[in-house]
């Protein structure tokens, strides 16, 4: 193998040695098997010796092998170069030769090469080359169930990345029917669940409901590998849970979420079955078990965030991120980076609510770094990133920057729910600035149109409840207190129906403020005390600061000196905590991100000398 440490085997020497082996061998192609053995040994060495592996495979061509051996060797070289080197042009050359082979009854090589080559084309932004390649392979692969299904999945994925969801859905429908014809109910369910996922993204709910009902029946009736069955169930339940969460139905989703958590626990106890399915069309899996575990953590975090269980959200985020770090040391799958970004997006919102702005800003910077490594990741999350910066700007009272960030985010998104969320927060910025009546009216009308009616484009219960709160806040600032109370009671009705704890706390404290202004101290106290209790449970630092200030003034007005002193002390503690965090955040070099509104995320930051807003504006 080696003459000494670090020495390389000469490909000519390999050819000579294997040539002598061939002359003495009984089988006419034992030289080929020997070269393959050498190549595999070098590939699987620790660390892998890819250069030597490539030398051995290249040596095959010295023997002028039969066409079938030549085609397979081109595929093997292309695969090794694609997966283990940066020589994409040479990998592409070998794969293209493997695809064009004309060896009869040797189509598997052609299909595998087409699959790898299409991936390589996509990496090189040659999508227009990848699509016809896959279509041609699909046309001639109908007698090979595994490859026909795989290539259909791959072409559907390509259309999904191009946001051509109609074409992707059509292909998945074709795949589901093909799987049914070849007797693979398992793969049929995978195609249908994938189609259901895209329909949910398109908000075609009338098509989603019957499809999910059919999928549920197929999953329950299918008898096969236990891990495959449970993975189908996880896929099905994840779609149900995300559908509920997208609709803002935090309470209604709990039974499905509990089933999902139980299902992933069952999968973690099962051992992988090494027996291959008898039907080649069943040779697929949705996600590895480890990836599914992270996904279940993720949807649990999403639920906890919407419900206002922020400590629970932070606990599950920590678990998920820890598992992600372990997985990313061994697996460079892009989906892991997507999971990481979505987890960070949710925990950043938690930090802002719980009064940890400096930590939130550092995590926003971490999302920027992840997006710098992947243009596709940045394209998918740019609007969310600017939205998070807008929320951070609100928390440090940089309202002009908040407006710029939200305006940028609106320009970058076409997703209705995210658009509505941004508009709602932008309306709150205009209201708090106080002198932007025209813009407030505009945001108010947007909020009314897109959130506050059951038949609106945004069907999210949570966002519609938030829109009523914004209308109540606007009416409060305009001095229309009875109108404000009517909107806020509607918010309370909707938030209580789905356990939206943070909206409940915000509505209660604002109602308490209105009753205090109107001189109804008893009713004000009835609102502020539960608001404070709920805000402490979340915990929401801003609502606690607001509630403690109201309790101080209420108790003082009612002559409750001791209670007023206790509330004043609480208010002082919250003020100091928020002030220290404010100074820490604005002193970070990452604070300069608030000025970024165009192009990719900046790579470096310049340190700030201090906070950009005064203590008076903060409190």
């Amino acid at each position: 193998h080696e003459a000494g440490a670090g020495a390389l085997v000469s490909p000519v020497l390999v050819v000579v040695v294997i040539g002598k082996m061939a002359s003495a061998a009984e089988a006419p192609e034992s030289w080929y098997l020997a070269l393959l053995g050498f190549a595999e040994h070098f590939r699987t060495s620790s660390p892998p010796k890819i250069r030597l592996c490539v030398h051995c495979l290249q040596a095959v061509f010295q023997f002028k092998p039969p066409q079938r051996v030549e085609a397979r060797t081109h595929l093997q070289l292309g695969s090794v170069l694609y997966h283990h080197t940066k020589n994409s042009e040479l990998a592409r050359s070998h794969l293209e030769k493997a695809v064009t082979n004309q060896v009869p009854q040797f189509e598997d090589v052609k299909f595998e090469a087409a699959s790898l080559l299409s991936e390589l084309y996509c990496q090189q932004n040659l999508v227009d080359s990848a699509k016809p390649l896959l279509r041609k392979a699909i046309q001639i692969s109908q007698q090979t169930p595994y490859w026909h299904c795989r290539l259909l999945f791959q072409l559907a994925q390509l259309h999904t990345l191009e946001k051509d969801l109609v074409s992707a859905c059509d292909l998945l429908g074709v795949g589901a029917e093909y799987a049914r014809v070849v007797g693979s109910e398992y793969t049929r369910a995978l195609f249908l669940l994938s189609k259901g996922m895209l329909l949910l993204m398109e908000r075609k709910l009338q098509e989603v409901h019957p499809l999910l009902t059919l999928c549920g029946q197929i999953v329950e009736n299918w008898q096969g590998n236990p891990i495959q069955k449970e993975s189908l169930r996880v896929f099905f339940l994840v779609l149900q849970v995300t559908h509920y969460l997208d609709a803002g139905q935090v309470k209604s989703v709990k039974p499905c979420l509990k089933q999902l958590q139980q299902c992933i626990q069952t999968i973690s106890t099962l051992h992988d079955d090494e027996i291959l399915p008898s039907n080649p069309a069943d040779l697929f899996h949705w996600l590895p078990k480890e990836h599914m575990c992270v996904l279940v953590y993720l949807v649990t975090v999403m639920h906890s965030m919407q419900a206002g269980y922020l400590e629970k959200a932070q606990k599950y985020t920590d678990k998920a991120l820890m598992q992600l770090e372990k997985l990313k040391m061994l697996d460079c799958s892009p989906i892991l980076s997507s999971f990481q970004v979505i987890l960070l997006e949710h925990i950043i919102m938690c930090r802002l609510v719980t009064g940890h702005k400096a930590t939130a800003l550092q995590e926003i910077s971490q999302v920027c770094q992840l997006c710098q490594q992947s243009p596709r990741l940045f394209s998918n999350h740019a609007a969310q990133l600017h939205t998070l910066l807008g929320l951070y700007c609100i928390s440090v009272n940089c309202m002009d920057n908040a407006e710029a960030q939200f305006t940028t985010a609106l320009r970058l998104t076409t997703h209705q729910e995210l658009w509505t969320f941004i508009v709602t927060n932008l309306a709150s910025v205009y209201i708090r600035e106080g002198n932007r009546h025209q813009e407030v009216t505009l945001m108010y009308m947007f909020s009314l149109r897109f959130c506050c009616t059951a038949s609106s484009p945004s069907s999210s219960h949570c966002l519609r409840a938030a829109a009523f709160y914004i209308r109540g806040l606007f009416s409060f600032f305009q001095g229309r207190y009875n109108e404000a109370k009517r909107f806020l009671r509607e918010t309370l009705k909707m938030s209580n129906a789905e356990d939206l704890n943070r909206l409940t706390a915000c509505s209660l404290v604002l109602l308490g403020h209105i009753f205090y202004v109107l001189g109804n101290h008893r009713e004000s106290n009835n609102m502020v005390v539960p608001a404070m209790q709920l805000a402490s449970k979340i915990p929401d630092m801003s609502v606690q600061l607001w509630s403690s200030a109201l309790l101080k003034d209420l108790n003082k007005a009612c002559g409750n000196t001791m209670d007023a002193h206790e509330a004043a002390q609480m208010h002082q503690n919250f003020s100091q905590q928020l002030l220290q965090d404010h100074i820490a955040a604005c002193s970070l070099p990452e604070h300069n991100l608030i000025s970024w509104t165009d192009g990719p995320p900046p790579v470096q930051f310049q340190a700030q000398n201090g906070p950009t807003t005064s203590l008076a504006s903060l409190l």
Side-chain angles (χ1 to χ4, degrees), residues 35 55 69 77 123 135 209 231 298 310 327 339 342 349 391 418 427 449 453 474 478 488 539 601 604:
L35 280 171
H55 282 337
V69 172
L77 270 167
Q123 284 187 2
R135 289 194 193 102
H209 292 148
S231 71
L298 173 56
L310 301 193
L327 290 173
F339 286 164
I342 298 170
M349 290 188 283
L391 296 174
L418 179 59
R449 178 183 173 188
T453 60
F474 177 63
Q478 295 295 309
L488 292 171
Q604 295 180 338

Side-chain angles (χ1 to χ4, degrees), residues 431-468:
I431 291 169
R432 288 176 64 174
E433 286 186 294
N435 59 352
R436 307 285 295 276
H437 298 297
Q438 183 177 358
E439 289 88 344
V440 169
T441 302
L442 177 63
M443 290 300 102
Y444 166 77
M445 292 304 295
F446 278 159
S447 182
L448 173 65
R449 178 183 173 188
F450 287 100
C451 299
C452 293
T453 60
S455 60
S456 67
S458 170
S459 61
S460 171
H461 182 94
C462 181
L463 286 175
R464 284 188 284 121
F468 279 114

Side-chain angles (χ1 to χ4, degrees), residues 348 352 357-358 360-361 364 384-408 425-426 428-429 432-433 542 582 585-586 590-597 612-613 617-618:
I348 287 163
L352 293 174
K357 295 184 282 290
L361 184 57
I364 290 174
Q384 292 91 318
L385 193 46
H386 285 287
T387 302
L388 291 171
L389 281 168
L391 296 174
Y392 167 77
C393 290
I394 290 178
S395 74
V396 291
N397 290 285
C398 298
M399 293 302 171
D400 288 343
N401 296 101
E403 179 183 352
Q405 291 295 337
F406 288 138
T407 302
T408 301
N425 282 282
L426 185 55
S428 73
V429 170
R432 288 176 64 174
E433 286 186 294
S542 297
H582 176 89
C586 294
E590 292 88 348
H591 183 75
N592 284 317
L593 275 171
I594 67 174
S595 301
W596 164 59
T597 56
T612 58
T613 55
S617 68
L618 174 65

Side-chain angles (χ1 to χ4, degrees), residues 332-378:
C332 58
S333 173
I335 198 171
L336 296 179
S337 295
S338 296
F339 286 164
Q340 188 175 1
V341 167
I342 298 170
L343 281 163
L344 287 170
E345 287 171 354
H346 282 79
I347 199 60
I348 287 163
M349 290 188 283
C350 288
R351 307 276 195 220
L352 293 174
V353 172
T354 57
H356 298 92
K357 295 184 282 290
T359 305
L361 184 57
Q362 290 169 329
E363 287 166 339
I364 290 174
S365 176
Q366 189 178 347
V367 175
C368 287
Q369 292 170 18
L370 287 167
C371 288
Q372 285 167 359
Q373 298 167 14
S374 169
R376 182 176 294 163
L377 201 59
F378 176 64

Side-chain angles (χ1 to χ4, degrees), residues 490-519:
E490 189 63 31
T491 303
L492 280 175
K493 177 182 173 183
M494 295 183 71
S495 58
N496 285 332
E498 287 292 343
D499 291 345
L500 305 174
N501 292 320
R502 188 160 184 255
L503 263 179
T504 299
C506 291
S507 300
L508 284 172
V509 72
L510 183 50
L511 276 170
H513 201 136
I514 292 170
F515 284 119
Y516 176 77
V517 171
L518 293 174

Side-chain angles (χ1 to χ4, degrees), residues 10 49 57 113 136 161 182 287-288 403 411 416 555 572:
S10 163
K49 299 173 183 176
L57 292 172
K136 184 176 179 180
L161 293 174
V182 298
L287 283 177
E403 179 183 352
R411 175 169 50 84
Q416 184 61 56
N555 285 305
Q572 178 67 16

